[in-house]
């Protein structure tokens, strides 16, 4: 299991201990050793087999530690990192994967949080978006499909997946051409079982959010533990991720990738916060692309009106 953690602001640590990432922004650490551990982890240089494991890490809120999650089968690799950097790192032995596998059989007008599938790959739709030309579509995780693939939800055509660009740095793509898309997301088994998206915005650190995937369905009460989470898998990094943690709970599983992260508002509305892309195998931790990053990278706007 993972413990809650996030980064501090630039003013909380000397500028010499700050490292900039083009997507995640500036991350600052309380010591040179923690900064060195960050560079070693990102460079996959602390162990000869580091590049062959799948793992994720986040800075602690005080900038003193990097909390690393990796499979127990790679304990020797993790122990090597711990041996080199001591208390600057904390290792959690737990599998990490990009969630990929609904709300099954979602028909037009399409909602977010629905199952989408193609060629044996099952994922989740995120939320509806509007393109500059006024047309509508949806979004999902880029690791789910290649550009040009037609996806379905059960027996219903959901659209054509496109927009995958600079993956794995950006784990996102859009879906278009499947009929109409509306500003609803599935939130069952919660009450109500659906919500209308009326607002958008990146979450605040330590705020409480909900996730909604085709397998786990809606799961609320997760805490935003970091806004600078990072996942390494398949030869590359995905950075600048929302990290959501709810101990002893399941808030995401394989098949939930692409699903919305949201905050309930009022009795039946929601504010979109991001989109699920990965998480711990035990399900207590979810990593998600920020809504601001999705809008910027895909050139879309979250649909907040009917």
């Amino acid at each position: 299991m993972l413990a809650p953690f996030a980064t501090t602001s630039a003013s909380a640590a000397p500028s010499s201990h700050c490292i900039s990432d083009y997507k995640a922004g500036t991350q600052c650490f309380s010591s040179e050793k923690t900064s060195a551990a960050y560079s070693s982890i990102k460079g996959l240089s602390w162990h000869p087999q580091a590049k062959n494991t799948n793992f994720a890490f986040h800075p602690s809120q005080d900038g003193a530690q990097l909390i690393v999650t990796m499979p127990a089968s790679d304990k020797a690799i993790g122990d090597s990192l711990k041996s080199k950097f001591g208390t600057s790192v904390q290792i959690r032995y737990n599998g990490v994967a990009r969630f990929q596998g609904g709300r099954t059989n979602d028909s037009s007008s399409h909602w977010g949080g629905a199952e989408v599938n193609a060629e044996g790959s099952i994922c989740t739709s995120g939320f509806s978006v509007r393109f500059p030309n006024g047309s509508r579509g949806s979004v999902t995780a880029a690791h789910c499909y290649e550009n040009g693939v037609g996806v379905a939800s059960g027996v219903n055509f959901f659209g054509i997946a496109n927009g995958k660009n600079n993956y794995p740095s950006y784990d996102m793509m859009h879906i278009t051409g499947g009929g109409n898309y509306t500003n609803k997301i599935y939130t069952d088994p919660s009450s109500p079982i659906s919500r209308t998206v009326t607002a958008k915005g990146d979450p605040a650190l330590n705020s409480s959010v909900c996730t909604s995937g085709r397998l786990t369905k809606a799961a609320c009460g997760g805490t935003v533990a970091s806004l600078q989470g990072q996942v390494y898998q398949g030869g590359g990094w995905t950075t600048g991720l929302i990290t959501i943690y709810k101990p002893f709970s399941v808030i995401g599983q394989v098949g939930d990738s692409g699903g919305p992260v949201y905050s309930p508002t009022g009795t039946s509305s929601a504010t979109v916060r991001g989109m699920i892309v990965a998480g711990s195998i035990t399900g207590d931790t979810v990593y998600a692309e920020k809504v601001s990053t999705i809008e910027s990278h895909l050139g879309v706007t979250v649909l907040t009106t009917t």
Side-chain angles (χ1 to χ4, degrees):
M1 295 178 295
L2 299 175
F5 38 76
T7 55
T8 57
S9 65
S11 62
S15 59
S16 59
H17 300 151
C18 294
I19 297 175
S20 294
D21 179 278
Y22 71 96
K23 184 184 173 196
T26 300
Q27 302 182 75
C28 296
F29 309 102
S30 62
S31 72
E32 183 177 353
K33 193 167 187 178
T34 307
S35 178
Y38 177 94
S39 297
S40 183
I41 291 170
K42 287 303 298 282
L44 305 172
S45 59
W46 81 90
H47 190 279
Q49 296 300 315
K51 65 180 181 295
N52 296 326
T53 186
N54 298 327
F55 69 100
F57 78 97
H58 321 79
S60 61
Q61 292 194 23
D62 60 5
Q65 280 192 322
L66 301 175
I67 295 87
V68 183
T69 302
M70 65 174 55
S73 58
D74 292 325
K75 191 173 187 299
I77 301 174
D79 287 351
S80 174
L81 183 66
K82 180 69 175 177
S83 176
K84 185 171 183 178
F85 293 104
T87 57
S88 293
V89 297
Q90 182 180 153
I91 312 294
R92 306 285 189 181
Y93 290 107
N94 188 352
V96 173
R98 297 188 189 272
F99 291 148
Q100 176 176 345
R103 284 81 156 183
T104 62
N105 216 31
D106 180 73
S107 60
S108 177
S109 296
H110 298 296
W111 294 8
E115 175 185 299
V116 288
N117 60 81
E119 301 174 344
S121 180
I122 302 175
C123 286
T124 304
S125 63
F127 41 84
S128 297
V129 295
R130 192 188 306 275
F131 294 86
N133 65 2
S135 64
R136 297 180 178 188
S138 187
V139 294
T140 194
H143 68 263
C144 296
Y145 311 110
E146 296 302 325
N147 287 326
V149 171
V151 299
S153 183
V155 300
N156 295 298
F157 181 57
F158 201 92
I160 305 294
N162 268 306
K164 183 174 183 174
N165 178 38
N166 197 13
Y167 171 79
S169 294
Y170 294 86
D171 196 351
M172 59 189 74
M173 65 194 314
H174 55 69
I175 303 172
T176 57
N180 191 33
Y181 301 84
T182 192
N183 59 326
K184 291 269 194 180
I185 57 173
Y186 289 99
T187 56
D188 59 299
S190 301
S191 179
I193 62 172
S194 69
R195 285 182 177 267
T196 301
V197 176
T198 57
K200 63 186 180 180
D202 295 342
L205 189 63
N206 296 322
S207 63
S208 178
V209 295
C210 303
T211 54
S212 182
R214 51 83 57 191
L215 182 59
T216 308
K217 300 185 178 179
C220 293
T223 298
V224 176
S226 176
L227 296 172
Q228 295 175 315
Q230 309 198 29
V231 173
Y232 176 81
Q233 188 177 34
W237 288 95
T238 307
T239 64
L241 299 175
I242 305 165
T243 305
I244 306 160
Y245 177 62
K246 187 176 183 181
F248 312 112
S249 300
V250 175
I251 58 174
Q253 300 174 80
V254 170
D256 292 339
S257 272
V261 176
Y262 66 97
S263 298
T265 54
T267 58
S268 60
S269 57
T271 298
V272 164
R273 301 300 188 185
M275 181 181 71
I276 301 167
V277 297
S280 63
I281 295 299
T282 54
D284 61 3
T285 305
V286 161
Y287 305 95
E289 292 276 16
K290 299 183 183 83
V291 66
S292 63
T293 308
I294 295 167
E295 288 191 316
S296 175
H297 186 68
L298 295 181
V300 299
T301 303
V302 175
L303 188 66
T304 56
T305 57
T306 55

